[in-house]
Amino acid sequence: MTRRAVIAGIGHYLPERIVENAEFEATLDTTDEWIRSRSGIERRHFAAEGETTSNMATKAAQNALADAGLSADDIDAIVVATSTADLTFPSAATMVQAQLGMTRGFAFDVQAVCAGFVYALSNANALVASGQANRVLVIGAETFSKIMDWTDRSTCVLFGDGAGALVLEAQDGTGQSDDRGILATDLNSDGRYKDLLYVDGGVSTQNTGHLRMQGNQVFRHAVEKLASTAHTSLERAELSADDVDWIVPHQANIRIIQGTAKKMGLPMEKVVVTVQDHGNTSAASIPLALSVGKSRGQIKPGDLIVTEAIGGGLAWGSVVLRW
Ligand code: ACO
């Protein structure tokens, strides 16, 4: 018998305000055509004034709990993946805990930028597998609109806000690759690449800062590292690309998504794509895509899914799971 972390429910939340590419044409030297053709992005959501990461995370968590038929009292731990927490401390996760009315268990944040949800899922899986928790809320939530330099056309058109959440639940499996739940994970980072993607401020530098990115350099690393980590996870699960029903990638750029699928030898029909509607929501992008993919009827029980992401650090990784 193997203790598996199985997905018991999923949900998401997107802020009300939708910004189409054309809106940027009024303030920047850019076009809808450039943004669409270079990134695949058509629109994104931006949080309202006063709407925070923990507010959005809580709404996504409530939707995931409702989908699972559970209440906050059934949860042992909350892990929030974010780089844009409401405050320097306490964690966004403890704020979500309070907003859910949960007075037991424990909560903490994971910060691995766009790879954050893969890191959070891997850590939550370890909590379940080791018996430290039976049910864990794993949330990705971001308000990247708060760290944009609105004069920098090469970054501010690419990002959006949102949140996605899932409930992981301990269930007994056989230890074989046909079990439901998380089957394998792979995490990597290489801090030598810090300058490719970072925010130029923080607590110890006394300002919040803005996102800075050498987009074409990040692009160069992305396809190769994403295909490689997906391959490693599949190998650990004793599976191959032929077994995959859905790739649910980090939604940064349609060309990276297409390049990774091609390198893995899989057609785009097997990829859940939401980048056109959400932009890059960093750690929120994978749970958002999983939730939308399920509600579209793409993801079904028993499907084998590979999620993969890369972001600031560089940090990257993947998770293989059976829905
Ligand atoms: N509108 C019009 N022109 C623009 C815009 C814009 N919004 N932005 C940049 N350009 C210009 C540039 O100034 C440049 O002009 P120049 O040739 O005169 O200097 C030209 O377009 C080409 O710029 P590139 O950066 O080479 O364009 P590229 O084809 O690489 O596309 C993009 C840029 C979309 C950023 C792409 O490189 C990309 O998606 N990179 C990966 C980003 C990513 O995946 N990030 C991942 C993680 S994010 C995280 O961790 C937080």
Side-chain angles (χ1 to χ4, degrees), residues 29-31 34-35 38-39 113-114 144 153-154 157-159 197 211 213 215-216 218-219 250 252-253 255-256 280 282 310-312:
D29 180 14
T30 191
T31 59
W34 191 96
I35 302 168
R38 295 299 177 108
S39 71
V113 204
C114 293
F144 262 50
R153 66 177 181 172
S154 68
V157 300
L158 301 173
F159 292 87
L197 181 52
L211 182 142
M213 178 166 75
N216 48 11
V218 177
F219 202 109
H250 170 48
N253 184 310
R255 293 183 294 143
I256 294 174
N280 182 345
S282 189
I310 186 165

Side-chain angles (χ1 to χ4, degrees), residues 115 119 186-190 225-226 229 309-311 314-318:
Y119 272 63
D186 178 54
L187 302 180
N188 310 269
S189 65
D190 189 338
K225 288 184 165 50
L226 291 172
T229 181
I310 186 165
L314 294 176
W316 67 101
S318 59

